[in-house]
Structure formats: structure tokens, C-alpha cells
Amino acid sequence: MSVNQQAHAGPPYGQPQPGYQGYQQPAYGGQSLPGAPQSQYGAYNGPMPGYQQPVPPQGYFPSLGFPSKGSPVSLNSDTSSLAPNFIGSLRAPPTSGAPPPASGASHPSGHVAYSQFEHGDVQNGIPASAAPMQRPPASQPFLPGSAPTPVSQMSTFQQYGPPQASVQQLRNHMAGMTIGSTAASAPPPAGLGYGVGPSSYPPTTGAPRPPAMPGPPLPGQTVAGPPSSQPNHVSSPPPPSTMAGLHPGPPMSGLHGPPPPTHPPQPGYQMQQNGSFGQMRGPQPNYGGAYPGAPNYGSPPGPPPPPKRLDPDSIPSPQLNELPPQQKPRHRIDPDAIPSPIQVIEDDRNNRGSEPFVTGVRGQVPPLVTTNFMVKDQGNASPRYIRCTSYNIPCTSDMAKQSQVPLAAVIKPLATLPPEETLPYLVDHGESGPVRCNRCKAYMCPFMQFIEGGRRFQCCFCSCVTEVPPHYFQHLDHTGKRVDFYDRPELSLGSYEFLATVDYCKNNKFPSPPAFIFMIDVSYNAVKSGLVRLICEELKSLLDYLPREGNMEESAIRVGFVTYNKVLHFYNVKSSLAQPQMMVVSDVADMFVPLLDGFLVNVNESRTVIASLLDQIPEMFADTRETETVFAPVIQAGLEALKAAECAGKLFIFHTSLPIAEAPGKLKNRDDRKLINTDKEKTLFQPQTSFYNNLAKDCVAQGCCVDLFLFPNQYLDVATLGVVPYQTGGSIYKYAYFQLETDQYRFLNDLRRDVQKEVGFDAVMRVRTSTGIRATDFFGAFYMSNTTDVEMAGLDCDKTITVEFKHDDKLSEDSGALLQCALLYTSCAGQRRLRIHNLSLNCCTQLADLYRNCETDTLINYLAKYAYRGVLSSPVKTVRDALINQCAQILACYRKNCASPSSAGQLILPECMKLLPVYLNCVLKSDVLQPGPEVTTDDRAYIRQLVTSMDVAETNVFFYPRLLPLTKADVDSDSLPAAIRNSEERLSKGDIYLLENGLNIFVWVGVNVQQGLIQNLFGVSSFSQISNALSTLPVLENPFSKKVRSIVDMLQGQRSRYMKLIIVKQEDKLEMLFKHFLVEDKSLSGGASYVDFLCHMHKEIRQLLS
């Protein structure tokens, strides 16, 4: 049998998932996540200077082989070691001196070549083979004895020695092995490790080879840590002199490796740290510290290694001391053989992107959020409005507890639809209002059952029978359906709106149109930075774009203006005035609004007075010396103004510093990094006073939503200032170290979108469920005064509410389960409406059906929000351990109850959850749960609040960022280049890459990029001339520049916030920040690499099973 090199064309992973579904982002690539710390690997072609290299600790599985595609993903190993068996094309070491295959080797069609290497680069990754990969049809246990896992870490390059003795044995073994058998016929012999797997890369010229390491550090020795990690949403750097976080941090202490083993190696076998035989994972230069089982995961240290015993099935390999020093074998799991997010995303796009997703069938799993697809509503709400963690839920609570899969829905009631999809129809039932169930008050929907010739209907939620009102009566056809079924949206569609009657309004009177109040900080910092002038200039034109209803000629929204520092200034901009009038309120302890008439005005009527005011404000405060600000009185002033006008509305507050001036809600600087990793760390996320919680409650009662734009140069306590925006359904935007020339474009884009987007005011949402389950828990930006109603002063088209369900009775497979989300809100024209979304789910008595219909992206969205709420009340370490434990239980339950019997050493993952470990690791490494030394307290509080109301597409790219090779982009097509995996070893020095996570876009430029490309993209002639200070790409008239700018514009259009552009040159100080987002690598803040975490999860699962 010929033993080929393994195809490099993307991992052999990710068969189309039967029902694995998603969202609308056009041409959406592999997404990545913010929050992953930087890698601790060496530079691409050599060791990173100055880092000590510890060895892997004990309990580390030296090699883990993965199967090729099949339903459950099974990863094979013997008892404690994972055998390097990868079924698929195999690769044996070539004879000595064989060069790696040419980088131009043809790639099988349909496979993405991860990188074509130029300029004499060494290829990072697995060489490409010309033969397409064989994919066994179904679940495939790994047979031991297949190929060695290629070394994916490129720190040192080794030449091949003579061919190994065991190649012939491998061939004999392979001859009798069936590739493609569906079930494990017999468990593989334990520990059949195929000999040494030295790397196939020739030495690079000029890369010094690190000396062989003497062994693991002894207890007490510390490992020198590389420079510190960075926030996962990047603040603009402070002035260059104090560039935060880009100088190497102090050494990290506490990553102790295990003590060196004390028993002598058996002749002919290499020792393995975990006590079984086969290949020992040799010391790896530049591999960050020991995989910190204990420090990272909080699990108790493992037991000492068991005594070695000879394993008759092991294939002897050359003795360690026979190999020259640079050829000491290093086994590492092949990163191309473990589940790849990129492959899963690509497969789903290919399989499900072309057909419309028709919602007529109960319990259908939608395409992934990364797939661009069209939705046809035929009775269930579009996945753009509701996504569930599982579309087939257990019939009993015992089964739900056993699986540990959370049952949750991520609901985005006012989601924006693509132009080709129809907006929800507005149904007007006149004065009688919408038809509802008498008992549970559910609204008429497609699942209601009409009986007695159409005179009554039986509620699908509570089974109560209700009379049909005479005006709503209609005959039934021979199938029992109403004759007007297709004419009524509420009988045939999953989503629709009702016009609400006066009974649904506050105080039983129809609401007035909402108002927008712009409140501008005019303290010294805001004026000096140019911010005040910038805001005033922008508002002159922006006020023409206030949101309006459908075909209205002008917006019904009225506007008002306030400026403030230690006191507040109100402006009368009544249309009859020649000049605006200013009124000052200096008694901030007892806030009131000094004028009623002329404060809130129609933009068109008062246009000249408003323009005059906006011209005067920057001049009035140009010479201010006032540095102190108030904050709570500003919100109180806006709230009082809306109360006086008897309307709902939104406050846009532009604020620069910690409010230390004497006033209600005054704060003190309590920032303390020493609390990190202590039991008091949770106080950093909690508000420092309850004053703001009470203020938020008053705002919600009035329908006063707060959007906060922050421009801090130092700590300003986001955890406290964010309480009111958060509980009123508002947004926070943060521009640290704001500089006019680099940040104005991003700020203005955010402001424009924030002012123009669709918002519902004075909103109340309730989720009803059919008998058997009920909504028990809610996550998002809102306020709750009781256990069922989610109240929001404002709800915009980007916000989601996540709802968790629990069983309160048994469900039946026949009737399934139903959800109905009803949102009552006031539109921007002052119309009271009800938006209804319905969804039907299947119910199952078999765990396999549950695992077959889960949606990992939604599951991760829920788990991240659950964990981010947990840090308010528990130590971060407890929260991390709980996440790992829950996921281990989910996977162990599958292994025990659904997978075909196989050796305990196999890691078997459900097909639609095979990305759970990689995504979960990204959540664990995010700045909230594992901050690097340079992540500020404010950054963490900001991210925590941001993620809590993100939708599934946003968390997907936030936690696993999208990485695109720009140099591979086809300048003649509209498509994006194929995404690659988030790891440093996928980068080539000769290429330019783009990484986006929803908050930032990085453009990484390799040191060997051709001069012509640099000239075309940056307009400079050499690598050294590229400026890090660019905040937009220069507009150049050439195809490459146009293509890259169009990619950036396309990505910006998909995101709810304008992403900050950061140019990163290889080997530059900013590269540390970029590496923080290469989430498959080890992170500087101590986060595990994907491979390590998979090993750790496997260990946890096995402990649960034993």
C-alpha cells in the first residue's frame, strides 16, 4: 500500500451536518474570536529569542490521532496515551534528505490550499498532497499504527534520519486494516504507537537551533513569561511614550512542570510522561509552559505516574540515544486532524447555502450563522429572529439533566432582514385588538386548532378552548383549516405584528412620538481633544437622518440639547427665537428641567436655531479650565425632560472621565489589579453604588433609554457607568485614548448607525411556552420587575435576549414543544405594536436525537453569557471550572449513551458538537475569564456587557475570529478568499492577512511580502515604510487595493459596530496584540492551545466515564 503524504487541503473534517444551521451574513468566513490570548510559540521560522522553554507536564497526552470524517468524531488513544492514528491518507517519513513536497503541488479540487509559500519561506503546516483524501463513510474508530502525526510546531526544523525500522511493520499492519469500516469491530490494541515522528522540514538557514533542554523545571522553578496579553477589543494606544502593554511584562511565575520521572526508561521504548508506552513527547523548544492542568483549570494535580509496564503491542522505535540530538522525536497531535471550524463552516455553506431555508417543518435545524442563506417563513419564525441550542428537546427533565445540554433560545425580536426577505406584516384587528387565548393570553398563531366548524379554537399552549369572536369567524375546509388561512399572516406565518389597542398603552392613552436628547460633556478633556467640535459638526447633518416610519416624509422624533461639566446647561431652541437661549442648572443635587417649551423641538421647524447652537457650543467652551464632571444628574435631567413631555425617548451621552465632582452618583477610583484571581475579583464587575440601579429602574418606568459614548484616557468605572445603559436596553461605545485623526471615522460611523437604527421604545417582552417547559432565566440588556416580563426602555435591531427553559412536566414526542415570543413596543412614529414570533420544536425520548439536533454556535452564545453573568457573584476560577465540567458532562453523556462501543481511549464527539471544545476554549481564554496583564478593568467590564446582548453571529466571530489571506484574494471576483485557521503556524512571511472579530480588523503584513504588493496596498515602497498609525487603507487606483478595501467595507457592513483598523507588521511590537487573537495557539495569559485543551477535555470525559 502506498503511504502518501497527508493532504494539506484543509482538515478531513466536517461532513455536512444533517441539521447544522445559520444566519445571514453574506459570504461569511471562518470566524474568530476576540478574547483569545496570544500564542507563546516561537516566530514562524525560528525560536523566539529570550524565552525559556519548559517541557510538557505530566498527564499530557503526547499524541492524539483523529479520524477522518464520519458521524461522530472519534479521537483515538489507548488508556492514557492517545495513539497517533489518523485514518485518511497516510504519511510515512521519507528517506533521509527527502525535501518536503513542492509548494506548488496541485490541490484536489474543492479543497482550499491553506497557503502557497513564496520567497523561500518554509511552509508552516502540513505539506499538500496531490491525492484527494479518502473519507470513510461513518463513525470511524482509529486504528492504531497509522501515520505519525506531523509536527505542527515549527520552532526547530529537523532533517530526516534513516528510515525507521517500524515502517515495514506499519505497512504490514495497514495491509490488514480496513479503512472505511463503519463501526469499531474490535477495540484497537492499547497503545500501539507508531515509532518516531521526526519533522519533515529541512533546517531553515539562519534559524538558530535551541539547545536540547535538560528536562522539565523542578518544582519551584519558574518559567519566564513572554510579554503580556491584550484586551480583546483593543483600545487605541495611549501616546507612544507610554504604549500600554507592548513592552515585555514581568516573568510569569507559577507554571511549574512536573518533577522529572524517577524510574529508568525500559530499553527500546521511550518513556512517556503519562505512564504508557509509545512515543514520549520530547521537549519542545518555544512551546509555552507546561500545559497547566492545575493552574489553568483548577483541577487537583493528577496522581503520580503509574509504574511502567511493557506493552506487547507497542512497536519498538529506534532508541532515543541512537538519534542525533536534533532528531529527538517530538510527537504532537496533527492540528489538521482535529475538528476545524473553517472546514465545518465551508461544508455547511456548500451544502446549505444554495437552497432557501423553508420554515414549515417542526424542529428543523437552520443553516449555520456563517452561511449566507434565504429564509421563507411558512409558520415558524426565521432563525434571524430566534435560534435554539437544540431543536429536539428531551421529553423529561431527567433526560435533560443527564445530558446537561442547556435548553435555551437566543431571541432578536427586531432583527434586520436582508432586502430580499419580507418584513413582518402588520395586522390591524380594529378596536377589538388581537385574538388571544382566554386562559394563558397567548396570541393567535399557526398552531392554534380550530374546532366545532370554526366557532372555537383550542390553545396550543395551554389547551384551553376559547370562543372565536364573531368578526373573526371563518369556515373550515375539509382538512380542518380555515378557508382564509393564507390570507391571514397570524395563521400562516411564524412572525407578524399586531397593531395594539389603547388597552396596551400606558395610562390607557396612546403614546406621543419619542424624543432624542443629545448630552455633551464640555469639560477640558472633551474640548481639548476636538471631540466637542466634532460632535457638533456631525449633528448638523445627522439630524436629517432620524429614524422614520415607512413612507413618512419626515421623522416624528423631537430633539433636545444639553451640555455639562460640573453643572448642566439646557438650551431653548424654539423655532420662533433668533438665537438659542442657554439656562444653567448648578444645583445638581436636586435636578429639574428649567424650561418646557422650546427644549424638545421638531428638527425642520427649528433648523436655523439648532444650527446656530451647534456652531456656538465649541466656541463657548473653547477656553474652559473645568476638568471635573458629573454623570448621574445628566441622566436625571434627561429623564425629567421626557417625563415633562410625557413621552419615551433616548439619551445620547458623550462622556470623558470618572464623575468625581460633588453630586449624586459621585464615584471614586477603585481600580485594583491586585484583586485579579482572588475572591474579591467579582467586585470589579459590580457597580460601586446601588444609586445607578435605582436610577435605571426609574428610566425604564418612563421609557428613557440611555446610549453612552465613552472617551476615557484613564479608569472611569465602566462597571458602574454602564448600569443605566445596560438595564434600559441601551448601548455602550468606548474609544480609549481618543485621537481625532485616528478615531473620528470609527466614532462617527458608530454614532450615525446608532442614531438611525430601528428602535422600539417602552418595550415589554414575554415568552410563553407549551405545557411541559417554561422560561426560567433571562440574559441581556434589560430590567425585570417580576419573573416573566423583560422590560426595556429601548430595544434596537442589534439586541438579543437569551432565554433558558426548564421542564415542569413531561413533553410528548407527538405534540412537540412551542415557544411564542411577544414584544409590545412603541415604534419611532409613536405607534403601539405587538411583534409576535412563534417556533415549534421536536421532543425526543432518545438522547441520540437530542445530540443530532444541537446548534453549537447558539450553545456557545448561551454558555458565554451564563459565564459572564457568573463572574458577578463567583470567583472567575469557579466559573471557568463549571464551564469545563458542564461541557465534559455533555460530551461524556454522548459517549456513554450514543456512541458505538469502542476503546476508552477514543475521544468521540457528536457530529454537530465537534467544535464545542475549540469554541469553549476560546470563551475560557477571553479577557473576561482570563485577562492578560494589560487588559484593564474597564475593558473587561465593557466586554462583559457587550457580549451579554450579542447575537449568535457576533459571538461566533468574537470568540473565533475570521482570518483571511488577502494575498490569495481573486481581484476579479466578488468573493472573499477562503478563511484559514487561527494559528500562527498558518501564517506565511510572504503574505498579508486580515483578521476580524467584530470589534477590530487587523491587517498583518509578513516581512517577506513582495515590494509590489506593499506599493499597491499602502502606497509606500518598502516594508519598513508602512505606518502603524493608519486608521483606514489609502485609496489607490489598482486592482489589489480596490479588492482589499472592498473586503474591508463588506466586513464592516456585516457588523453592528464600526471595527477599528489596526496595521500589524510582522516582528513589530503590535504583533503581540495580534497574536492574542490567534485563538488556536497557547495564549500569553495562560490559556491552553486548542490541541492541549482537547487533550484536557478528553481526560475530564474519561474521569467522568470511569
Side-chain angles (χ1 to χ4, degrees), residues 26 81 200 208 301 307 325 333 359 407 412 416 424 442 517 591 593 623 659 689 694 719 728 873 1034 1073 1088 1091:
S81 71
S200 57
I333 297 164
T359 72
L407 306 175
K412 194 175 183 183
T416 310
I517 304 177
M591 187 42 65
V593 179
D623 301 325
T689 157
N694 297 328
T728 58
S873 52
L1073 178 53
V1091 168

Side-chain angles (χ1 to χ4, degrees), residues 151 156-159 161 164 196-199 209 211-213 270 279-285 318-331:
V151 178
T156 54
F157 297 90
Q158 302 152 340
Q159 289 158 311
Q164 294 165 6
V196 199
S199 148
R209 222 176 241 118
M213 282 183 41
Q270 275 150 271
Q279 265 339 99
M280 171 184 176
R281 176 181 170 131
Q284 302 208 29
Q319 298 204 347
L320 198 54
N321 49 17
E322 292 169 10
L323 293 169
Q326 76 273 27
Q327 266 183 259
K328 292 273 162 73
R330 296 182 310 149
H331 250 324

Side-chain angles (χ1 to χ4, degrees), residues 120-449:
D121 276 8
V122 172
Q123 173 170 340
N124 297 323
I126 315 300
S129 90
M133 196 81 103
Q134 290 296 319
R135 294 194 164 129
S139 134
Q140 175 85 24
F142 287 81
L143 279 152
S146 26
T149 46
V151 178
S152 66
Q153 199 169 312
M154 306 296 311
S155 6
T156 54
F157 297 90
Q158 302 152 340
Q159 289 158 311
Y160 276 117
Q164 294 165 6
S166 51
V167 173
Q168 189 52 48
Q169 284 168 270
L170 171 75
R171 288 192 178 136
N172 299 343
H173 180 71
M174 292 301 295
M177 174 171 135
T178 56
I179 295 191
S181 65
T182 48
S185 40
L192 199 69
Y194 160 53
V196 199
S199 148
S200 57
Y201 304 95
T204 35
T205 48
R209 222 176 241 118
M213 282 183 41
L218 294 161
Q221 265 178 285
T222 56
V223 179
S228 49
S229 129
Q230 280 277 347
N232 52 4
H233 53 100
V234 196
S235 323
S236 341
S241 55
T242 60
M243 190 66 156
L246 299 173
H247 40 77
M252 283 198 288
S253 58
L255 294 179
H256 308 312
T262 49
H263 20 258
Q266 307 272 353
Y269 292 89
Q270 275 150 271
M271 252 165 43
Q272 253 181 301
Q273 267 122 311
N274 58 5
S276 45
F277 284 81
Q279 265 339 99
M280 171 184 176
R281 176 181 170 131
Q284 302 208 29
N286 297 337
Y287 199 58
Y291 171 58
N296 232 12
Y297 295 103
S299 43
K308 307 278 178 193
R309 58 188 174 74
L310 218 58
D311 188 331
D313 289 318
S314 287
I315 298 174
S317 37
Q319 298 204 347
L320 198 54
N321 49 17
E322 292 169 10
L323 293 169
Q326 76 273 27
Q327 266 183 259
K328 292 273 162 73
R330 296 182 310 149
H331 250 324
R332 183 139 159 41
I333 297 164
D334 171 8
D336 273 357
I338 56 181
S340 155
I342 305 303
Q343 190 65 47
V344 169
I345 287 166
E346 202 47 49
D347 289 347
D348 189 75
R349 212 174 266 159
N350 295 337
N351 296 323
R352 307 200 59 184
S354 50
E355 293 295 309
F357 177 67
V358 180
T359 72
V361 182
R362 183 175 84 188
Q364 278 188 105
V365 186
L368 295 183
V369 285
T370 44
T371 298
N372 186 20
F373 62 99
M374 190 177 154
V375 179
K376 286 200 172 146
D377 183 343
Q378 290 192 359
N380 281 291
S382 158
R384 309 196 202 288
Y385 294 123
I386 308 184
R387 274 184 178 267
C388 294
T389 51
S390 177
Y391 287 79
N392 200 334
I393 60 183
C395 281
T396 64
S397 61
D398 290 348
M399 201 172 143
K401 283 192 188 103
Q402 186 185 358
S403 73
Q404 287 285 310
V405 175
L407 306 175
V410 179
I411 306 174
K412 194 175 183 183
L414 298 179
T416 310
L417 299 184
E420 65 274 11
E421 291 178 22
T422 318
L423 292 169
Y425 289 100
L426 180 59
V427 179
D428 183 358
H429 282 316
E431 286 183 18
S432 56
V435 178
R436 304 176 69 174
C437 164
N438 272 345
R439 185 197 292 161
C440 72
K441 299 292 182 242
Y443 294 87
M444 180 53 66
C445 72
F447 312 120
M448 297 288 189
Q449 192 64 47

Side-chain angles (χ1 to χ4, degrees), residues 1081-1093:
D1081 297 340
K1082 199 170 175 100
S1083 78
L1084 292 182
S1085 51
S1089 70
Y1090 175 20
V1091 168
D1092 294 351
F1093 183 69

Side-chain angles (χ1 to χ4, degrees), residues 703-875:
C704 168
C705 176
V706 177
D707 279 359
L708 181 56
F709 293 80
L710 294 172
F711 305 87
N713 288 332
Q714 56 200 14
Y715 177 75
L716 51 58
D717 202 347
V718 173
T720 306
L721 298 189
V723 167
V724 179
Y726 184 68
Q727 292 190 16
T728 58
S731 306
I732 305 178
Y733 297 85
K734 181 165 160 286
Y735 311 88
Y737 306 107
F738 178 81
Q739 287 176 316
L740 208 57
E741 56 282 4
T742 53
D743 296 315
Q744 68 166 347
Y745 197 62
R746 179 166 62 113
F747 160 58
L748 293 179
N749 272 283
D750 283 342
L751 176 60
R752 285 167 196 156
R753 189 167 188 283
D754 197 57
V755 167
Q756 294 173 44
K757 67 186 172 189
E758 183 188 353
V759 186
F761 293 94
D762 234 336
V764 184
M765 185 182 102
R766 183 176 284 196
V767 178
R768 292 179 173 83
T769 52
S770 53
T771 312
I773 52 169
R774 60 193 172 89
T776 54
D777 209 350
F778 301 84
F779 304 82
F782 53 75
Y783 173 78
M784 290 187 83
S785 55
N786 58 35
T787 56
T788 54
D789 295 337
V790 173
E791 298 174 48
M792 293 152 290
L795 172 69
D796 64 47
C797 54
D798 299 320
K799 296 282 186 306
T800 62
I801 292 98
T802 301
V803 185
E804 186 180 8
F805 302 97
K806 291 262 163 67
H807 287 75
D808 57 7
D809 203 346
K810 284 193 173 140
L811 294 163
S812 92
E813 280 187 284
D814 298 338
S815 54
L818 301 175
L819 316 177
Q820 183 178 79
C821 161
L823 176 79
L824 175 64
Y825 71 99
T826 302
S827 74
C828 58
Q831 202 176 48
R832 202 70 177 147
R833 293 181 178 180
L834 283 151
R835 179 169 290 201
I836 313 294
H837 298 296
N838 303 288
L839 186 64
S840 59
L841 302 172
N842 286 328
C843 297
C844 58
T845 52
Q846 300 298 317
L847 282 164
D849 292 329
L850 164 70
Y851 283 100
R852 210 172 281 129
N853 291 280
C854 286
E855 232 253 294
T856 301
D857 292 321
T858 311
L859 191 56
I860 287 293
N861 178 286
Y862 165 83
L863 290 171
K865 290 171 180 177
Y866 184 77
Y868 281 16
R869 185 176 70 184
V871 299
L872 291 172
S873 52
S874 308

